[in-house]
Amino acid sequence: MSVSDDRRLHVLRAIVQDYVRTSEPVGSKALLERHQLGVSAATVRNDMAVLEEEGLITAPHTSAGRVPTDAGYRLFVDRLSAVKPLGRGERSAIERFLHGAVDLDDVVARTTRLLSSLTHQVAVMQYPSLSRSTVRHVELVPIGGPRLMVVLIVNTGRVEQRVIDTGRELAPDADLVADLRSRVNSVSVGLPLPSVPARLDALLEDVAPEDRHVATAVARALADAVAEQSEERVVLSGTANLARSGNDFPTSLSSVLDALEEHVVLLRLMGSMATLDGDQVAVSIGMENPYEPLRTTSVVATSYGDAGGLGVVGPTRMDYPQAMAAVRAVARYVAEILDG
């Protein structure tokens, strides 16, 4: 990169930072007053003219100020040397808040509230995907008479319970329950959920004929629990933050809100952006979004472990470094909790 290119990148970065902070078009005078650019006013004006010719900034009206374009935000994000980690206090607060969760639903609810609070954007989290979830344990608990509680525990922490009537008194058959528990776990633990029903069907063939109806009832209850898990869901928090940024959506806020209500759209969006390795964070800006109603927004997303995606949606006038750092940090803690 030449000296002039490097200088213009500094000017662009300053324009992005000022516009994100103030929501007002940025002029050369303001840049010189707020930033140590080390050049003359004429040089700054010339650099802004070049940036405008390259489509990186534009004049929203006849004022002397300029605002970043989608392409300008993209260059700004691409040239971030690294995502600055959150401060120790913020990281400690995230850990304390998330580790207070009592179950998966609470983890998801806390995560979206936390992300929305940290970024002042709309937080979106995909429930752990069925295709990526595996069986951690199956428990069978006699609860009196012929009734048996079947408990499916998934690696992401989700728990499904079913109470079945086995058709016979179980108290004298403690060995049967223990044997079924052992057999079921031996063929299902570690398996992806979609493959569990077929393995359970094969298991029934090895059960003694007089016990097969009990084993069949257990297998059906587990199949029902797996089917219940198959519904892909997303949870949102902080949609009111969009209204507070209403000036960033002069004509399209209602269409953005409608799009956020379409969970299928969000699932596809999270799925397409959150297939990343390690600490990578994906950023989709404005017209880069594949869904028309979201082309006035930016999406910052990543994956949490192998389970699903989470991120934030907000106006293109977004504090990208802070949003990226928050999304990455929260995803790390969520992955630790669900893997723990």
Side-chain angles (χ1 to χ4, degrees):
M1 180 181 291
S2 69
V3 173
S4 58
D5 287 340
D6 188 55
R7 188 184 64 242
R8 281 193 287 272
L9 183 59
H10 281 296
V11 172
L12 174 63
R13 185 181 296 118
I15 291 172
V16 169
Q17 291 170 344
D18 281 6
Y19 183 58
V20 167
R21 188 180 72 254
T22 69
S23 77
E24 295 293 334
V26 182
S28 58
K29 182 179 178 181
L31 288 177
L32 289 167
E33 291 173 351
R34 296 170 185 164
H35 302 272
Q36 301 299 317
L37 297 176
V39 295
S40 68
T43 299
V44 171
R45 287 194 294 271
N46 181 66
D47 285 343
M48 291 178 69
V50 173
L51 291 172
E52 188 166 13
E53 288 175 6
E54 293 175 348
L56 299 174
I57 60 175
T58 188
H61 40 71
T62 56
S63 75
R66 299 294 184 269
V67 301
T69 63
D70 289 355
Y73 285 124
R74 168 50 61 196
L75 182 60
F76 170 78
V77 169
D78 289 346
R79 294 299 173 87
L80 289 174
S81 57
V83 178
K84 184 179 179 181
L86 295 181
R88 181 178 299 175
E90 290 173 302
R91 295 198 304 271
S92 296
I94 292 171
E95 186 173 12
R96 287 195 303 271
F97 187 73
L98 293 182
H99 273 282
V102 297
D103 56 24
L104 179 62
D105 291 336
D106 197 18
V107 169
V108 174
R110 284 171 178 256
T111 298
T112 52
R113 290 203 308 272
L114 178 65
L115 258 183
S116 175
S117 174
L118 287 171
T119 63
H120 307 292
Q121 311 295 350
V122 181
V124 182
M125 181 173 178
Q126 177 187 11
Y127 260 79
S129 171
L130 171 70
S131 62
R132 302 175 191 175
S133 299
T134 59
V135 176
R136 177 176 290 173
H137 182 70
V138 175
E139 188 57 62
L140 304 180
V141 184
I143 55 175
R147 296 190 304 157
L148 186 69
M149 179 181 290
V150 181
V151 184
L152 170 65
I153 305 171
V154 180
N155 68 314
T156 56
R158 195 168 187 86
V159 177
E160 290 288 335
Q161 299 179 355
R162 298 289 186 278
V163 175
I164 60 174
D165 188 333
T166 63
R168 79 191 217 193
E169 185 72 29
L170 293 175
D173 289 328
D175 289 343
L176 169 61
V177 174
D179 180 62
L180 277 177
R181 182 188 301 116
S182 176
R183 287 172 178 266
V184 168
N185 280 287
S186 69
V187 300
S188 61
V189 170
L191 283 183
L193 291 185
S195 63
V196 169
R199 295 296 294 272
L200 292 175
D201 287 343
L203 170 69
L204 296 178
E205 299 175 4
D206 296 329
V207 176
E210 63 271 20
D211 298 328
R212 197 162 293 163
H213 66 286
V214 178
T216 299
V218 170
R220 286 175 178 168
L222 287 170
D224 287 346
V226 168
E228 182 95 0
Q229 295 259 342
S230 66
E231 181 186 358
E232 300 281 4
R233 289 194 289 154
V234 292
V235 171
L236 286 76
S237 182
T239 52
N241 287 326
L242 289 180
R244 297 188 187 100
S245 304
N247 291 336
D248 292 299
F249 306 98
T251 61
S252 57
L253 179 56
S254 61
S255 62
V256 172
L257 292 172
D258 288 342
L260 292 177
E261 291 297 318
E262 295 289 337
H263 285 194
V264 172
V265 169
L266 292 179
L267 281 167
R268 289 175 181 167
L269 194 62
M270 289 293 105
S272 66
M273 295 186 67
T275 56
L276 305 171
D277 297 327
D279 288 333
Q280 287 182 293
V281 178
V283 180
S284 182
I285 300 170
M287 295 301 292
E288 296 172 353
N289 286 311
Y291 304 102
E292 177 84 29
L294 295 181
R295 288 181 179 169
T296 56
T297 72
S298 286
V299 182
V300 178
T302 191
S303 57
Y304 56 95
D306 295 323
L310 61 82
V312 296
V313 180
T316 55
R317 188 180 64 83
M318 178 188 294
D319 185 343
Y320 291 97
Q322 197 273 343
M324 294 167 71
V327 166
R328 185 178 65 178
V330 170
R332 283 179 182 171
Y333 285 111
V334 171
E336 288 177 9
I337 291 169
L338 296 183
D339 288 342

